[in-house]
Amino acid sequence: MRKKIINKSAELFLTLGFKSVTMDDIANELGISKKTIYQNFDNKTKLVEAATLNMFDNICDGIDHICNASHNPIEELYDIKMFVMTYLKNEKASPQFQLKKYYPQIHQNLQTKQFEKMHISVKHSMQKGVDTGLFRQNIDVDFIARMYFNGMSGIKDESIFPSTLFTMEYLTESYLEYHLRAICSEDGLKTLTQFITNNQS
């Protein structure tokens, strides 16, 4: 039952936002009493924490699978972007923004975990790009990996990139191309251009 509550809560939080969803909403969706939820979680904050950690673990598993199966680091970054966007439902309800505003401690802990995971993953991907000649030989892999995380976090700042002007899909797509054009070698730029041309909707 605990797993069912976490999964349904995560789905609702992503669709409607962390602040908007009540314990009553979750109970009604599951067809259980609110008491049952409180038998598993002391309060909503504990449930939000469990749901976000569960989402994080699921995303990490998906990213690992993509990295293990990828043909090259350019396609890999696009595949990861698409997987995360799909999993997070394009963040239409700005869950990241609500989490930061209403559950700052959970957001901070999650941000730390995200950085640790992404730093290792992106560094590995960058090095693979350098080794295969798709990325420039002289890039500082550790610095670029940190910049990439900082940029991906930055585009989620509602005060700088308001959702009334930018969709999350546009922001992630634009930032990813911006990032790759900065580090690609000549061969990498050809691969990137070919990939974008082939995948334009």
Side-chain angles (χ1 to χ4, degrees), residues 12 21-35 37-38:
L12 291 171
V21 177
T22 65
M23 297 297 245
D24 284 315
D25 294 331
I26 297 163
N28 290 337
E29 281 287 326
L30 285 167
I32 60 175
S33 69
K34 202 157 62 167
K35 183 183 175 186
I37 297 177
Y38 282 116

Side-chain angles (χ1 to χ4, degrees), residues 73 121-133 135 139 141:
S121 173
V122 173
K123 268 179 72 175
H124 183 261
S125 177
M126 295 283 164
Q127 193 57 55
K128 191 159 59 174
V130 171
D131 294 342
T132 55
F135 296 162
I139 63 170
V141 170

Side-chain angles (χ1 to χ4, degrees), residues 69-152:
S70 76
H71 297 296
N72 69 59
I74 293 173
E75 288 185 26
E76 181 181 301
L77 282 175
Y78 275 99
D79 287 344
I80 289 172
K81 184 216 70 161
M82 187 58 67
F83 165 71
V84 174
M85 290 292 291
T86 303
Y87 186 89
L88 296 179
K89 304 177 187 293
N90 288 343
E91 302 196 79
K92 288 191 173 75
S94 301
Q96 187 100 358
F97 175 71
Q98 288 197 10
L99 188 67
K100 186 176 183 179
K101 185 174 180 181
Y102 299 107
Y103 300 94
Q105 190 59 54
I106 295 174
H107 177 268
Q108 184 57 53
N109 291 342
L110 189 63
Q111 187 89 343
T112 301
K113 289 173 92 58
Q114 284 173 338
F115 171 72
E116 289 168 356
K117 171 64 181 176
M118 203 165 166
H119 189 225
I120 293 168
S121 173
V122 173
K123 268 179 72 175
H124 183 261
S125 177
M126 295 283 164
Q127 193 57 55
K128 191 159 59 174
V130 171
D131 294 342
T132 55
L134 290 174
F135 296 162
R136 290 185 288 110
Q137 294 295 310
N138 62 340
I139 63 170
D140 183 332
V141 170
D142 183 63
F143 171 74
I144 298 290
R146 291 171 189 273
M147 284 293 289
Y148 183 68
F149 179 81
N150 195 51
M152 275 298 189

Side-chain angles (χ1 to χ4, degrees), residues 66 70 72-86 125 135 148 152 169-170 172-181 184 188 191-197 199-200:
I66 290 167
S70 76
N72 69 59
I74 293 173
E75 288 185 26
E76 181 181 301
L77 282 175
Y78 275 99
D79 287 344
I80 289 172
K81 184 216 70 161
M82 187 58 67
F83 165 71
V84 174
M85 290 292 291
T86 303
S125 177
F135 296 162
Y148 183 68
M152 275 298 189
E169 187 170 6
Y170 172 81
T172 52
E173 187 81 18
S174 299
Y175 181 69
L176 184 50
E177 185 177 345
Y178 171 84
H179 161 74
L180 284 169
R181 286 192 180 282
C184 277
T191 302
L192 174 63
T193 303
Q194 187 66 50
F195 179 82
I196 292 172
T197 302
N199 289 275
Q200 277 177 337

